[in-house]
């Protein structure tokens, strides 16, 4: 009896995984939905939204809002540069661990706001660990992606985003990287005891936010609370006062 129950549960889980797989495939291969609906998929730790704007004119601004909750605390994470009628897309290169709820807001010249339906995407820490490091600013990325959209399917838009991400992705460092489980920064320099290393961290505006004047241990865990906000940070490692390596880490 127990064996039958075990097989039944396994069959249910397998069916559920198949359902999710078919749903994800349908989201990418089906037609791009028209607002208030929109498409939302995750690719390599990057969330991609796509939709058809049905309005010929009058749209002054299109913003994308995100929240960890489906009802409250929505904050604007960027704008869609393309406000004309037709297909448009938005890329969230640094989503949060856990549920990411999205909505698209259209602001008309008349002062009226239009809000889309809600969509959510879930990312675990393992997915974040595989995330491509995109140093390009969000504004630049949105412009490039929307230059290549007309009436493409969500799958074509995802492929365009993937191609663009590969072009601007920065290779991950083996010395300084984000721990996917804790979100803290791991620093590993095997010869740190015999070599003079220092590290500087910079925010998106190239402002220096943190300096480690001397790395005096082979492995250091840098608490993410040392950074004022979440997001992408650039770092530079200096070896014997000379630049040794540049890279990026994500604080989540």
């Amino acid at each position: 009896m127990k064996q039958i129950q075990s097989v039944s549960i396994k069959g249910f889980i397998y069916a559920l995984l198949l359902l999710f797989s078919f749903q994800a495939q349908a989201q990418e291969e089906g037609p791009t939905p028209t607002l208030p609906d929109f498409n939302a998929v995750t690719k390599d730790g990057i969330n991609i939204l796509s939709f058809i704007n049905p309005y010929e004119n009058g749209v002054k601004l299109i913003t994308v809002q995100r929240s960890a909750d489906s009802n409250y605390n929505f904050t604007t994470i960027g704008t869609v540069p393309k406000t004309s009628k037709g297909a448009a897309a938005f890329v969230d290169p640094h989503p949060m661990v856990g549920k990411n709820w999205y909505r698209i807001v259209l602001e008309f010249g008349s002062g009226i706001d239009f809000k889309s339906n809600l969509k959510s995407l879930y990312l675990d820490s393992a997915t974040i660990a595989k995330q491509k490091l995109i140093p390009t600013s969000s504004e630049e990325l949105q412009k490039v992606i929307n230059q290549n959209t007309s009436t493409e399917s969500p799958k074509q838009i995802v492929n365009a985003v993937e191609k663009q991400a590969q072009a601007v992705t920065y290779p991950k460092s083996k010395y300084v990287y984000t721990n996917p489980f804790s979100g803290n920064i791991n620093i590993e320099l095997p010869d740190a005891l015999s070599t003079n290393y220092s590290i500087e961290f910079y925010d998106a505006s190239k402002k220096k936010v943190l300096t480690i004047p001397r790395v005096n241990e082979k492995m250091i865990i840098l608490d993410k609370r040392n950074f004022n906000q979440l997001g992408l940070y650039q770092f530079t490692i200096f070896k014997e006062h000379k630049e040794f390596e540049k890279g990026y880490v994500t604080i989540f």
Side-chain angles (χ1 to χ4, degrees), residues 47-102:
N47 289 346
I48 305 164
L49 315 181
S50 56
F51 58 90
I52 299 290
N53 173 12
Y55 298 100
E56 194 75 49
N57 49 49
V59 179
K60 178 182 174 183
L61 184 68
I62 301 178
T63 59
V64 175
Q65 297 181 342
R66 185 183 69 191
S67 173
D69 186 285
S70 60
N71 295 313
Y72 305 103
N73 302 318
F74 276 92
T75 57
T76 298
I77 59 170
T79 61
V80 178
K82 186 178 180 180
T83 58
S84 57
K85 183 179 179 179
F90 181 86
V91 180
D92 182 3
H94 310 298
M96 305 177 290
V97 174
K99 271 201 171 183
N100 292 259
W101 286 91
Y102 293 97

Side-chain angles (χ1 to χ4, degrees), residues 45-47 66 77 90-97 100 102 123 128 131-138 141-142 204 230-233 248-252:
I46 298 169
N47 289 346
R66 185 183 69 191
I77 59 170
F90 181 86
V91 180
D92 182 3
H94 310 298
M96 305 177 290
V97 174
N100 292 259
Y102 293 97
L123 282 81
I128 293 290
Q131 186 180 81
K132 293 182 181 297
L133 295 175
I134 302 179
T136 304
S137 73
S138 179
L141 186 60
Q142 311 311 331
L230 307 180
L232 192 70
Y233 289 83
Y248 290 83
V249 288
T250 304
I251 303 298
F252 60 84

Side-chain angles (χ1 to χ4, degrees), residues 94 131 133-136 170-171 173 176-178 183 185 199-211 222-236 246-252:
H94 310 298
Q131 186 180 81
L133 295 175
I134 302 179
T136 304
Y170 211 94
S173 171
V176 181
Y177 57 92
T178 305
I185 303 302
I199 306 176
E200 295 177 351
F201 292 87
Y202 309 86
D203 63 15
S205 62
K206 307 298 182 184
K207 179 183 177 184
K208 189 188 299 183
V209 294
L210 184 66
T211 300
L222 184 62
D223 196 311
K224 60 184 178 182
R225 289 175 294 183
N226 285 287
F227 299 86
N228 292 329
Q229 58 185 14
L230 307 180
L232 192 70
Y233 289 83
Q234 184 180 3
F235 67 84
T236 302
K246 281 188 174 182
Y248 290 83
V249 288
T250 304
I251 303 298
F252 60 84

Side-chain angles (χ1 to χ4, degrees), residues 5-6 32 41 43 66 71 73 76 87 91 117 126 130 157 191 208 218 230 249:
Q5 185 180 13
S6 174
T32 303
V41 296
K43 187 74 174 178
R66 185 183 69 191
N71 295 313
N73 302 318
T76 298
V91 180
N117 299 336
K130 298 174 184 176
I157 292 174
D191 59 340
K208 189 188 299 183
K218 292 181 179 180
L230 307 180
V249 288

